[in-house]
Amino acid sequence: MKIYLDGKFVDQADAKISVFDHGLLYGDGVFEGIRLYGGNVFRLDEHLERLEYSAKAILLSMPWSRKEISDATCETCRQNGLQDGYIRLVVTRGVGDLGLSPWLCPKPSIFIIANKIALYPPETYTTGLSIVTVPTRRVNSAAFSPAIKSLNYLNNILAKIEAKQFGALEAILLNDQGYVAECTGDNIFIIHKGEIITPAASQGALKGITRSAIFDIAQELKLPIREADMTRYDVFNADEAFLTGTAAEVIPVVKLDGREIGTGKPGKITQRVLESFRRRVLTEGTRI
Ligand code: PMP
């Protein structure tokens, strides 16, 4: 496998980052997870815009243009002969000393990995996921904005571990006020009386690229969709639920905390959204 690392393509074994890189020492950096479908990179521009916003929010100035990053992303897929896969694009603060000071890191690093990903077992896309609410709360946006896709994922990792401890593959994280924020790496949607509902970014949800595609799909399918505060009560009383994410794609949810949602089977609207999503990813995107 060839990895793009700071302007060069190197073999996987030679793709190495310094132990003094603040991305490693402090999680000081930002990243994107991007999908490649049939030789098209799905919503690449939106991903690169979010990367720029994340970098700006942590005052990390990236010395590369969007075009340069976009070209490097496509070239990484080509170099690996990939037509379908998952791309991980990471920007770190770069090499510094052992103190926190980011201004002692003169040069950010960028690397791009193009590979495959399977977040959940394939059968869960037809049977639906059973998820749980975990004790770990979504990080408070006053402390650190959850809209920043940073290299600090311990909040999400702890929630993922707790989900496993409760025998589930995925978890709902509530925010510090008890509202549903999102899952460990996915946004959450419920369907109630024909309406699609998802928590707002202000409740601790990442502004997912797949999430925004769901708004376009709802428009195409003429289904009402809106952002709203969401509690566990709303999920328990929903007719259907599903999660979205670049790695997860669109996956039905049939149980929360041991309680069936709707009929306990993936719902009809979820199926329609999922089918529309699968069509859309093949036609939309940047050709590599
Ligand atoms: N929430 C979190 C915490 C995430 O890390 C992600 C991305 N894996 C998402 C939601 C979904 O966002 P996207 O659709 O852009 O992948």
Side-chain angles (χ1 to χ4, degrees):
M1 192 191 309
K2 291 280 183 198
I3 313 287
Y4 178 86
L5 177 59
D6 291 326
K8 292 196 189 81
F9 285 97
V10 295
D11 285 331
Q12 186 178 338
D14 301 321
K16 291 182 180 149
I17 287 274
S18 163
V19 292
F20 286 94
D21 192 305
H22 280 208
L24 178 62
L25 285 177
Y26 297 115
D28 187 353
V30 293
F31 78 102
E32 280 297 318
I34 309 168
R35 273 264 184 180
L36 175 71
Y37 292 100
N40 294 313
V41 185
F42 188 62
R43 300 205 166 186
L44 179 56
D45 217 46
E46 281 99 319
H47 279 287
L48 297 183
E49 181 181 70
R50 187 171 65 185
L51 182 77
E52 288 164 12
Y53 288 165
S54 295
K56 194 165 182 187
I58 66 161
L59 291 101
L60 194 168
S61 131
M62 296 195 292
W64 319 283
S65 68
R66 190 181 297 187
K67 168 103 180 35
E68 281 173 304
I69 302 181
S70 168
D71 289 349
T73 304
C74 294
E75 186 56 28
T76 308
C77 296
R78 284 196 296 271
Q79 291 268 334
N80 289 287
L82 215 60
Q83 287 291 309
D84 292 277
Y86 178 84
I87 304 156
R88 175 59 55 87
L89 200 173
V90 182
V91 174
T92 74
R93 187 77 69 176
V95 172
D97 71 9
L98 289 178
L100 283 179
S101 313
W103 47 90
L104 297 179
C105 307
K107 205 161 99 10
S109 259
I110 181 168
F111 59 89
I112 306 170
I113 308 167
N115 201 1
K116 299 272 178 190
I117 198 164
L119 208 56
Y120 308 116
E123 64 275 12
T124 53
Y125 286 81
T126 41
T127 57
L129 276 181
S130 294
I131 65 173
V132 291
T133 315
V134 290
T136 289
R137 296 288 173 113
R138 190 73 180 110
V139 68
N140 183 327
S141 59
F144 185 76
S145 171
I148 302 171
K149 210 163 159 53
S150 83
L151 294 181
N152 272 282
Y153 253 56
L154 275 174
N155 184 222
N156 313 58
I157 289 166
L158 284 177
K160 191 94 182 167
I161 292 169
E162 288 169 347
K164 186 161 187 279
Q165 286 169 337
F166 293 129
L169 293 174
E170 195 46 82
I172 282 184
L173 287 106
L174 305 176
N175 66 19
D176 58 354
Q177 294 181 309
Y179 289 103
V180 172
E182 59 177 347
C183 292
T184 65
D186 313 326
N187 291 113
I188 183 162
F189 290 77
I190 59 169
I191 296 155
H192 186 243
K193 298 194 174 175
E195 204 179 19
I196 308 177
I197 302 160
T198 193
S202 57
Q203 295 293 9
L206 183 80
K207 289 181 187 165
I209 308 294
T210 324
R211 178 184 184 273
S212 75
I214 300 301
F215 278 78
D216 297 340
I217 288 168
Q219 206 173 17
E220 170 202 312
L221 300 178
K222 301 197 169 36
L223 296 166
I225 187 164
R226 67 187 166 94
E227 293 180 340
D229 293 348
M230 189 185 287
T231 60
R232 288 168 74 232
Y233 168 91
D234 300 311
V235 184
F236 292 144
N237 287 300
D239 302 315
E240 305 180 25
F242 63 89
L243 311 182
T244 67
T246 297
E249 303 179 288
V250 177
I251 183 154
V253 173
V254 292
K255 255 189 202 174
L256 172 62
D257 299 333
R259 307 192 200 186
E260 282 188 352
I261 298 169
T263 61
K265 301 247 154 46
K268 288 207 168 61
I269 294 180
T270 302
Q271 294 287 5
R272 286 179 65 202
V273 169
L274 205 155
E275 280 157 22
S276 166
F277 177 76
R278 290 204 170 130
R279 275 195 305 275
R280 199 171 264 266
V281 295
L282 293 173
T283 53
E284 247 183 55
T286 306
R287 194 93 208 127
I288 57 167

